[in-house]
Amino acid sequence: MNWLTSAQECFRDDYGTLRQGLLTSVFSLIVGIERMFHLEEMEDVGFALLCGGRQCPSRYTVGGWRRHLPWYEVDAFCRRTSPWHLLRDQVALVSYDEHTIPRWTHKFKIGKGYVTTRNKYMRCEKLFYTYDLINRRFLAVRGAPGHVNLVDLAVPLTRQTLEQGQPEYMHALFDAGAGKRDAGVRALWDLVEENLQLDVTVRACRYPHRQRQWKQLPSGLFVSHEEPGPYVGAPPKEIRLAETVTVLKDETVEQAIRTVVCREMVPGPKKDRWHPLFTTSAADPLDVLTIYRGRQGEEQAFRVGVYDEFLDAVPCGYDKESPDPKRPRFHRGPLQMMGWLVALVYNALADWASELAGDWDKSQVRTLRRTFIDRPGWIYGTPTSLVVQYEPFAGQEALIPVIDNFNAAGHRIPWLNNRRLVLCLTPQDRATRGP
């Protein structure tokens, strides 16, 4: 309801489809509707009530609302709903990365980018996310064509986090996409000089000429460390860390930046793996490596978004009604809006899971959906209330604190004559129906 209120303040609603379009887009992600055309198969009364009406929404109504979202209204909605309060006056560890969405259009000539799952350059579109690694929540998103890289948006996204989040101290982590150009790396380092509360760590690109330099470092510079193996009972693996400096293109030795080189020893005929990191942090090399490895939390969030919330099914950003297919217009409004709703649902379900009784804090969206959300039940309507009763199921005791808090808040449904919504469980030893 807070998202709906924010949307009504940001979006025009000339055709009266805002409420149903937004609520359907949200609850489709929650209950697990993978594609827009699957709405035609929905006949569930509960889903219809959730989506702002008495009948299940049509894919034409919802799809039409999505396709005509202006980018400036979407930006306003994203600003109002971003959880920047999580960083206010805190020590923040923030990761920035891109998620590439492949497109298989042959009619429209759109930008190409590298798609890791396909291991090739192909037509695609991108969503650039800002992710809080400490609280495990998405903070912001930006849609862009496929030819835009992380190095192009690294500085604007970091500035946005500093201005909106206002953390006491922030360590920004970037994948190798932010280090493709030395000019982009230098721009980040200049931003660090402007903001004393900021540190940046970027995974350096393993260009051949630089990798040769790192491999020629004296063996005495490397310090050996042991780490647990890849599985339980596996022998520990060895890594060697060294600290050096790297001179960027067209710069002097005095401007060289600190570089932590990690050499992962691989037994057998395979070559050792090299993982260089550019950093402004003064921490120990092992600490820098440990902090950077926390960036895997955002990669895991992307996996949840793709497989649990169908992130790759977001609307296209290119305009299919463009008169020239070789130069189609780009509308990032629908692309960014649905990408941000995926992030909002991810955050909301994570907050909800932390309130459940038991150890559900780090449960993924699909687990929560299978265990608690997609459950049968009964709906009883009265002139003043709407009572939703679960059928009994194993593990329903975890919902008791959540349902108690929800009912105590006295939530009401505006599109059902302001009826109060009441949730209740059924004791497992009771077989007869009844509120």
Side-chain angles (χ1 to χ4, degrees):
M1 296 304 300
N2 291 336
W3 300 344
L4 180 59
T5 302
S6 299
Q8 290 171 342
E9 296 173 354
C10 298
F11 296 110
R12 295 179 58 185
D13 190 15
D14 297 335
Y15 302 98
T17 57
L18 169 61
R19 184 181 68 195
Q20 196 168 51
L22 178 70
L23 294 178
T24 304
S25 300
V26 170
F27 285 107
S28 295
L29 301 175
I30 294 177
V31 305
I33 299 178
E34 299 184 18
R35 296 292 186 271
M36 177 68 64
F37 59 85
H38 293 174
L39 289 175
E40 298 300 313
E41 304 172 4
M42 288 295 294
E43 298 179 353
D44 188 90
V45 177
F47 182 75
L49 296 178
L50 284 174
C51 295
R54 297 176 182 268
Q55 296 180 348
C56 287
S58 167
R59 67 186 180 102
Y60 301 103
T61 301
V62 179
W65 174 78
R66 289 183 184 181
R67 284 194 301 271
H68 298 91
L69 291 174
W71 65 268
Y72 49 88
E73 295 181 354
V74 173
D75 278 354
F77 177 78
C78 293
R79 287 193 300 269
R80 288 173 180 260
T81 54
S82 296
W84 295 115
H85 63 277
L86 298 175
L87 305 186
R88 198 82 63 195
D89 300 326
Q90 301 293 323
V91 175
L93 185 62
V94 182
S95 175
Y96 302 87
D97 202 1
E98 62 189 34
H99 176 70
T100 305
I101 303 170
R103 302 299 189 193
W104 281 269
T105 176
H106 292 282
K107 177 180 178 181
F108 297 95
K109 187 177 180 180
I110 63 176
K112 288 188 176 182
Y114 180 71
V115 182
T116 55
T117 55
R118 298 281 169 173
N119 194 26
K120 64 178 181 179
Y121 283 87
M122 60 181 297
R123 293 184 175 94
C124 63
E125 292 169 338
K126 294 182 179 180
L127 290 169
F128 294 86
Y129 282 99
T130 303
Y131 187 79
D132 182 1
L133 294 172
I134 296 179
N135 297 296
R136 304 193 306 274
R137 300 293 186 271
F138 286 103
L139 298 175
V141 69
R142 175 67 180 266
H147 62 273
V148 178
N149 295 310
L150 183 60
V151 65
D152 302 315
L153 296 177
V155 173
L157 292 177
T158 308
R159 286 188 185 275
Q160 180 190 35
T161 307
L162 291 172
E163 295 172 0
Q164 301 295 330
Q166 298 181 2
E168 179 182 355
Y169 166 80
M170 187 179 82
H171 195 156
L173 307 180
F174 293 90
D175 199 4
K180 287 186 175 182
R181 296 193 301 267
D182 287 355
V185 177
R186 176 50 61 188
L188 284 172
W189 259 242
D190 292 340
L191 184 63
V192 172
E193 293 181 0
E194 298 175 11
N195 300 271
L196 300 179
Q197 77 276 24
L198 173 66
D199 273 322
V200 171
T201 299
V202 180
R203 187 168 73 86
C205 292
R206 289 171 288 205
Y207 292 124
H209 68 285
R210 287 196 176 143
Q211 194 158 353
R212 286 194 297 267
Q213 296 175 5
W214 295 326
K215 290 183 178 181
Q216 291 173 1
L217 292 175
S219 59
L221 292 179
F222 288 89
V223 179
S224 180
H225 299 274
E226 280 193 353
E227 293 186 335
Y231 54 90
V232 177
K237 63 180 182 180
E238 179 187 3
I239 63 170
R240 297 178 183 177
L241 296 176
E243 183 178 344
T244 183
V245 293
T246 302
V247 179
L248 301 180
K249 184 179 179 181
D250 298 332
E251 293 188 355
T252 62
V253 178
E254 290 76 13
Q255 297 175 291
I257 61 178
R258 185 189 183 199
T259 306
V260 175
V261 181
C262 173
R263 180 180 183 181
E264 183 179 349
M265 310 302 292
V266 179
K270 294 185 178 180
K271 297 181 179 179
D272 298 340
R273 299 192 183 101
W274 294 78
H275 309 286
L277 300 174
F278 295 154
T279 184
T280 63
S281 173
D284 183 81
L286 182 59
D287 294 337
V288 173
L289 178 64
T290 303
I291 291 173
Y292 186 80
R293 284 177 171 174
R295 206 192 65 81
Q296 189 63 28
E298 185 176 15
E299 299 291 350
Q300 177 69 10
F302 284 158
R303 192 214 69 82
V304 174
V306 171
Y307 293 101
D308 296 8
E309 300 183 73
F310 327 112
L311 180 57
D312 286 349
V314 297
C316 299
Y318 61 91
D319 187 4
K320 296 182 179 179
E321 298 179 358
S322 300
D324 186 3
K326 293 184 178 181
R327 299 187 65 182
R329 295 183 293 257
F330 180 73
H331 292 168
R332 64 179 173 92
L335 173 69
Q336 182 171 315
M337 181 65 179
M338 289 309 301
W340 182 233
L341 288 183
V342 168
L344 286 180
V345 170
Y346 177 93
N347 293 348
L349 287 179
D351 295 339
W352 183 72
S354 64
E355 300 175 1
L356 295 172
D359 188 16
W360 297 94
D361 185 26
K362 296 184 180 180
S363 299
Q364 297 180 0
V365 172
R366 188 176 297 183
T367 301
L368 298 174
R369 179 188 300 145
R370 181 181 63 250
T371 308
F372 300 109
I373 297 175
D374 287 353
R375 286 286 176 182
W378 303 279
I379 298 177
Y380 301 91
T382 71
T384 59
S385 302
L386 188 72
V387 181
V388 179
Q389 180 184 5
Y390 276 88
E391 283 190 4
F393 63 94
Q396 65 180 10
E397 296 80 10
L399 286 174
I400 292 177
V402 175
I403 290 180
D404 289 344
N405 294 334
F406 184 88
N407 292 336
H411 297 288
R412 295 186 178 274
I413 307 177
W415 54 89
L416 288 179
N417 299 326
N418 213 32
R419 287 184 172 90
R420 180 177 177 178
L421 179 59
V422 180
L423 306 180
C424 62
L425 298 174
T426 303
Q428 295 190 19
D429 57 350
R430 178 176 176 178
T432 58
R433 296 187 179 185

